[in-house]
Amino acid sequence: TLTIAELSVDASKVRQLVSAACLVAGAASTSAAFVTGLVLSHVSHRLAPVLGGWLSLSVFSLLAGVTAAGLVADDACIGLLRGEMQLARNVVFAVAKLLLLPLAVSAWDLGRGRQIVVVWLASAALSLVLVFRLIDRMPDPGTWRPDFANLIAKRGLIWSHHLLNVAVVAPSLLAPVVIAAAVSPTANAGFYTAMLVTNFVNIIPSQLSTTLFAIAPGDEVALARETRNSLQVCGLLAVASAALFLFGSHEILHLFRRSYESAADAMTLLG
C-alpha cells in the first residue's frame, strides 16, 4: 500500500520506486519463506514430504519472493491509476498456469504435485516481467536503478504499511498451512476450495478499500465520499453473498468434488 500512496502523489520516479520496492519485498519474502519452510519441514510430518529437500525448499522460497514482488507491482499499478496493467499481469499469470501445467505433468515425473508449484513459479515470474515491460513503456525520464535511499528514509512509514498489509493478508494465507499441518492434505483440499470461492467474493471489497490509498493525501472530502460509496457496495455484496453461502455451500463444493462437501460448514462460516 505504500507504493499506492507514493505514486498517487508523484509518479515521476515510478521505475526507481517499483524496482526498489519489489527487490526489497522479494528478498525479504524469499528469506522468510526459506526459514519458514525449513522449520515446517522439521516440525510437521505432514508437510515434510513436500518441503523436504533443497530443491523443494528453494522453489517454495522463490515462489514466495516472486509472489510478494507481484503484489507490490499490482499496487504500483493502482497508484498509477493504471488498473489495466494489473489486470494484464493477472490474466497472463492465470492463463500461463493453465497452459503450462499439462506440459509440465507430461514432461516431468516429479511426484507429489511438484509440477504445480514449478509451473506456478514460472507463471508468476512471467507475469512480473510483463508488468515491468508495461511500466517501462510509460513516459518517464527516470531509470530502473533502485532508489533504496528513499525506502530507508521512510522506514518508519514502511513498517506501518507492512503491519497493515500483514494484518489484511495473513489470515487467508496462513489458514491453509495450519489446516494442512494440523489435519491432513486431503482435508485441506476441501477447505482451500471453500476459501478460494469465498475469497473470490472478497476480491471486490479488498480492491475497493485498497484503491482508497490512491486518493490524494489530505483530500478528506474525496476520501469520505469514496469510503461511503465503497461501504455501500460492500454492504450489499455482504448481504447477498452471505445468503448464498448460508444455503448453497454444499452445492457449490459438490461442483468441484463430492468429497469436498465435508468443508461445507467451514465455507458457510467463512462466507
Side-chain angles (χ1 to χ4, degrees):
T1 49
L2 175 77
T3 55
I4 302 176
E6 291 290 305
L7 291 174
S8 65
V9 177
D10 182 14
S12 62
K13 296 182 179 180
V14 55
R15 298 175 187 171
Q16 291 177 296
L17 176 62
V18 171
S19 59
C22 286
L23 283 171
V24 170
S29 297
T30 300
S31 303
F34 184 85
V35 175
T36 302
L38 197 62
V39 171
L40 287 174
S41 66
H42 284 84
V43 302
S44 173
H45 69 279
R46 298 187 185 279
L47 295 178
V50 293
L51 288 175
W54 291 109
L55 178 60
S56 298
L57 192 56
S58 298
V59 172
F60 171 74
S61 304
L62 288 173
L63 179 55
V66 173
T67 300
L71 292 174
V72 172
D74 280 347
D75 282 357
C77 295
I78 296 175
L80 293 168
L81 300 180
R82 295 291 302 273
E84 76 279 2
M85 295 197 302
Q86 181 193 20
L87 177 62
R89 187 190 85 82
N90 285 276
V91 168
V92 168
F93 182 29
V95 173
K97 285 187 291 186
L98 294 176
L99 294 179
L100 293 177
L101 185 57
L103 298 176
V105 171
S106 61
W108 302 327
D109 184 19
L110 300 179
R112 296 189 178 277
R114 288 188 175 90
Q115 297 97 326
I116 298 176
V117 186
V118 172
V119 166
W120 196 291
L121 173 60
S123 303
L126 180 64
S127 69
L128 194 59
V129 171
L130 170 68
V131 78
F132 284 157
R133 291 293 302 273
L134 293 175
I135 292 175
D136 194 47
R137 293 177 182 176
M138 296 179 62
D140 176 35
T143 67
W144 279 108
R145 185 167 58 188
D147 186 6
F148 295 118
N150 182 36
L151 297 185
I152 294 173
K154 296 179 178 177
R155 56 189 178 276
L157 184 61
I158 289 174
W159 180 247
S160 298
H161 276 274
H162 177 64
L163 292 178
L164 171 65
N165 293 327
V166 169
V168 171
V169 303
S172 61
L173 296 181
L174 191 60
V177 180
V178 174
I179 296 296
V183 187
S184 70
T186 303
N188 186 48
F191 174 80
Y192 189 81
T193 303
M195 195 178 70
L196 185 70
V197 176
T198 54
N199 281 346
F200 179 76
V201 177
N202 288 334
I203 287 176
I204 297 174
S206 174
Q207 292 299 314
L208 285 174
S209 57
T210 302
T211 313
L212 294 176
F213 281 97
I215 295 176
D219 192 349
E220 296 182 0
V221 174
L223 179 61
R225 181 182 65 250
E226 296 306 326
T227 301
R228 281 195 299 270
N229 293 337
S230 297
L231 286 173
Q232 289 173 0
V233 173
C234 294
L236 291 173
L237 180 66
V239 172
S241 62
L244 174 66
F245 292 123
L246 183 62
F247 300 107
S249 292
H250 282 275
E251 288 72 17
I252 294 173
L253 289 172
H254 182 78
L255 292 174
F256 289 90
R257 192 184 183 100
R258 181 183 293 273
S259 60
Y260 288 178
E261 291 186 54
S262 61
D265 290 341
M267 187 177 191
T268 301
L269 289 173
L270 289 170

